[in-house]
């Protein structure tokens, strides 16, 4: 909590030439609140996605949810470009929901239990959706809008343009209220059903939370990659897998990471500003590779060697 407060104070005042009351309350305070809300919401959606898929290496941006939301927004832009922002958030959430269910259905058909194969399939799935979206945007001369949805940038956050993020934070709060159910669901379908849990209901609730948060974030701020991946993995090493204990820590860590990336983005090339998603992409990509390499399975060539090294007395 103290770290988030310190980073929020630094982000509030850093990189400002002339700070008066109007700029402070019309731009700086809304931006700082948006950074905190975005970090909290995105980090918790990553935790939910990992529990639903029983895999530590997935989050909305690597499983097609963000790309599906962008695809839905693009279709809406081509059909009705003048609709209000709240309707855009609704359509983006519907698209993200379809993307989440598509990935969950695909993940259940993967025969291998490898923890590495699931995120790879998710990245491929997201890549196909992203490629189709980019092609349509190119033909429709809408690449600039598509780019704005895919890059998390808080430079345009002003009073009156960030309030929908409170809805995303409320969805994250629902995840904390239902934390025990998500924890049981993380034990697997058979174990969860044996304990009397309605797994389909919990799956639908989790997918709905992920969709609402992703849709709102894509419309208001743009996507932030890897945040939902690294925050839950770091917290799981500190407090374990109990979601009720993990959610507050994941939320605070997510907010701290976004605030830190915002500060770095404004300091590295001052007076210019790098988008938060660019800084987070670099940091998250490195952590993602470290997590994947740290859980790599031993190769098939190594297994016969271990069998050959077994003492002769162990054979019958």
């Amino acid at each position: 909590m103290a770290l988030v407060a310190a980073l929020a104070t630094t982000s509030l005042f850093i990189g400002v030439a002339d700070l008066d009351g109007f700029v402070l309350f019309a731009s700086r305070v809304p931006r700082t609140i948006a950074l905190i809300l975005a970090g909290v919401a995105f980090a918790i959606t990553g935790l939910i996605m990992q529990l639903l898929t029983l895999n530590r290496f997935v989050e909305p941006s690597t499983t097609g949810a963000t790309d599906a939301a962008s695809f839905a927004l693009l279709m809406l832009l081509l059909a009705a470009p003048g609709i209000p922002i709240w309707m855009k958030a609704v359509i983006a959430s519907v698209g993200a929901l379809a993307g989440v269910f598509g990935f969950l259905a695909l993940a259940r058909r993967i025969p291998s239990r490898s923890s590495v194969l699931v995120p790879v399939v998710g990245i491929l799935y997201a890549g196909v959706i992203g490629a189709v979206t980019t092609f349509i945007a190119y033909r429709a001369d809408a690449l600039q809008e598509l780019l704005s949805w895919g890059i998390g940038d808080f430079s345009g956050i002003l009073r009156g343009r960030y309030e929908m993020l409170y809805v995303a934070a409320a969805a994250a709060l629902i995840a904390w209220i239902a934390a025990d159910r998500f924890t049981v669901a993380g034990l697997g379908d058979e174990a969860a059903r044996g304990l009397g849990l309605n797994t389909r209901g919990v799956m639908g609730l989790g997918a709905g939370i992920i969709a609402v948060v992703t849709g709102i974030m894509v419309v208001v701020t743009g996507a932030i990659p890897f945040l939902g991946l690294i925050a839950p993995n770091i917290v799981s090493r500190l407090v374990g897998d109990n979601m009720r204990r993990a959610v507050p820590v994941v939320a605070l860590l997510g907010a701290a990471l976004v605030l830190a990336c915002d500060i770095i983005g404004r300091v590295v090339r001052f007076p210019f500003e790098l988008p938060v998603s660019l800084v987070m992409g670099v940091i998250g990509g490195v952590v993602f590779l470290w997590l994947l390499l740290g859980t790599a399975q031993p190769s098939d060539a190594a297994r016969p060697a271990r069998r050959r090294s077994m003492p002769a007395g162990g054979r019958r």
Side-chain angles (χ1 to χ4, degrees), residues 26-294:
S27 175
R28 306 307 302 178
V29 172
R31 173 173 178 149
T32 302
I33 295 175
L35 287 165
I36 295 174
L37 294 177
V40 169
F42 254 131
I44 292 177
T45 57
L47 177 61
I48 296 173
M49 178 67 82
Q50 292 169 18
L51 288 172
L52 294 182
T53 59
L54 307 180
N55 191 285
R56 291 288 185 185
F57 307 123
V58 296
E59 59 117 19
S61 67
T62 60
T63 55
T66 302
D67 297 274
S70 298
F71 178 80
L73 277 176
L74 179 61
M75 296 297 100
L76 181 64
L77 176 66
L78 298 179
I83 67 172
I85 188 172
W86 66 268
M87 182 59 71
K88 293 180 180 178
V90 172
I91 298 301
S93 298
V94 173
L97 184 64
V100 171
F101 278 128
F103 171 74
L104 292 177
L106 187 63
R108 290 178 177 272
R109 294 179 177 273
I110 298 176
S112 175
R113 296 287 183 177
S114 172
S115 60
V116 178
L117 183 59
V118 174
V120 171
V121 171
I123 292 173
L124 293 174
Y125 172 69
V128 171
I129 299 175
V132 173
T133 306
T134 302
F135 175 77
I136 297 175
Y138 172 75
R139 296 296 299 269
D141 196 20
L143 286 176
Q144 185 174 358
E145 289 80 1
L146 181 62
L147 184 64
S148 67
W149 301 328
I151 296 181
D153 185 11
F154 292 78
S155 60
I157 295 294
L158 298 171
R159 185 173 56 198
R161 284 189 52 85
Y162 79 100
E163 284 77 8
M164 279 197 304
L165 294 179
Y166 286 110
V167 179
L173 178 62
I174 295 174
W176 182 73
I177 295 173
D180 294 334
R181 296 179 181 274
F182 287 116
T183 301
V184 175
L187 300 176
D189 284 345
E190 294 183 1
R193 289 172 183 170
L195 294 172
L197 182 69
N198 181 3
T199 55
R200 289 188 177 182
V202 174
M203 188 78 69
L205 176 62
I209 293 173
I210 294 170
V212 169
V213 172
T214 303
I216 292 175
M217 295 300 301
V218 168
V219 171
V220 177
T221 66
I224 304 177
F226 297 115
L227 176 60
L229 173 72
I230 61 179
N233 275 280
I234 293 173
V235 172
S236 68
R237 286 162 169 75
L238 299 176
V239 301
D241 295 328
N242 187 297
M243 187 171 173
R244 185 165 297 279
R245 290 185 300 174
V247 164
V249 186
V250 169
L252 290 174
L253 181 58
L257 286 171
V258 174
L259 288 167
C261 289
D262 178 65
I263 294 171
I264 294 172
R266 279 188 279 169
V267 169
V268 169
R269 294 194 62 194
F270 183 83
F272 303 101
E273 180 178 337
L274 297 177
V276 170
S277 62
L278 179 61
V279 181
M280 181 62 71
V282 174
I283 297 174
V286 173
V287 175
F288 185 41
L289 288 175
W290 172 70
L291 291 171
L292 287 178
L293 294 176

